[in-house]
């Protein structure tokens, strides 16, 4: 990757969600290297593209876990939103055969559970053994999280989200302005209307405490679903645009 990308400037965006590199030497580093010096790339990297677009790659120890491009949305930022959130919640990898930080089939569930506890995403679902789920319930007291739990094949499935309102969690004015700048009006305005309608609600009120909350969440507009899960709006906007071409 280093030689083919030597003419392009990648900028590292530090994020504490970046998984630690493997200890010892049992895993060989991947092909993504810095063009200057050849150091192993690790973290979230971005570079500008023509036509007001940006390319984003999340890399663990030289291996790309996600790689996408979307419109520039310069106004909106949030500590609850990260390019790592969809990657680590879903166990993504560009090459499924390459080494990855996911140690076992419940790794992503444990990551989601911790991310909710420590304010790294506002809403999510995870499945854990009963003992681990009980420890999570105990830790969640005082965090502002609301959850629904039920048995699932010998484990406990939990859907949890914060009780804080969307208007408290996010700068919706900045996000709405970014969507209007990133998408044509016929695509932007339905998403804007959905975001406006959520200002006074919270992920917990809207999608956990309400009847058929999860089903309602699955039917929510992409801008709302992405934001509620802490996914990057630039990636969501790219998906909205791509959906009209499919």
């Amino acid at each position: 990757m280093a030689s083919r990308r030597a003419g392009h400037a990648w900028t590292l965006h530090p994020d504490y969600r970046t998984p630690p590199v493997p200890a010892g030497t049992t895993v060989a580093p991947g092909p993504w290297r810095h063009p200057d010096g050849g150091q192993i790339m690790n973290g979230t990297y971005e570079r500008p593209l023509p036509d007001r677009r940006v390319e984003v790659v999340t890399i663990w120890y030289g291996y790309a876990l996600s790689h996408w491009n979307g419109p520039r949305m310069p106004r909106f930022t949030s500590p609850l939103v990260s390019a790592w959130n969809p990657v680590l919640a879903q166990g993504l990898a560009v090459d499924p055969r390459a080494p990855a930080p996911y140690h076992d089939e419940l790794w992503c569930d444990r990551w989601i559970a911790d991310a909710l506890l420590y304010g790294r995403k506002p809403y999510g679902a995870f499945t854990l053994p009963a003992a681990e789920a009980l420890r999570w319930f105990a830790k969640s007291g005082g965090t502002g999280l609301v959850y629904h739990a039920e048995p699932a094949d010998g484990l406990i499935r939990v859907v949890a989200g914060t009780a804080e309102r969307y208007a408290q969690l996010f700068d919706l004015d900045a996000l709405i302005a970014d969507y209007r700048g990133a998408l044509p009006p016929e695509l932007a305005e339905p998403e804007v209307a959905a975001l406006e309608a959520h200002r006074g609600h919270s992920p917990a009120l809207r999608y956990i405490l309400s009847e058929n909350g999860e089903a309602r969440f699955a039917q929510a507009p992409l801008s709302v679903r992405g934001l509620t899960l802490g996914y990057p709006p630039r990636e969501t906007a790219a998906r909205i645009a791509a959906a009209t071409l499919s």
Side-chain angles (χ1 to χ4, degrees), residues 153-164:
D153 298 325
L155 303 172
I156 303 294
R157 184 174 185 274
V158 180
V159 182
T162 178
E164 287 190 83

Side-chain angles (χ1 to χ4, degrees), residues 118-137:
Y118 299 113
R120 297 173 187 174
K121 62 194 273 94
Y123 172 94
F126 58 90
T127 303
L128 291 176
E132 292 185 47
L134 288 172
R135 287 196 293 271
W136 187 92
F137 298 152

Side-chain angles (χ1 to χ4, degrees), residues 5 8-10 46-56 67-72:
R5 299 185 177 271
H8 304 280
W10 288 102
E46 299 182 9
R47 64 176 179 177
L49 296 177
D51 301 321
R52 295 178 53 82
R53 296 185 68 81
V54 64
E55 184 178 6
V56 180
H67 191 182
W68 51 273
N69 69 75
R72 297 181 200 174

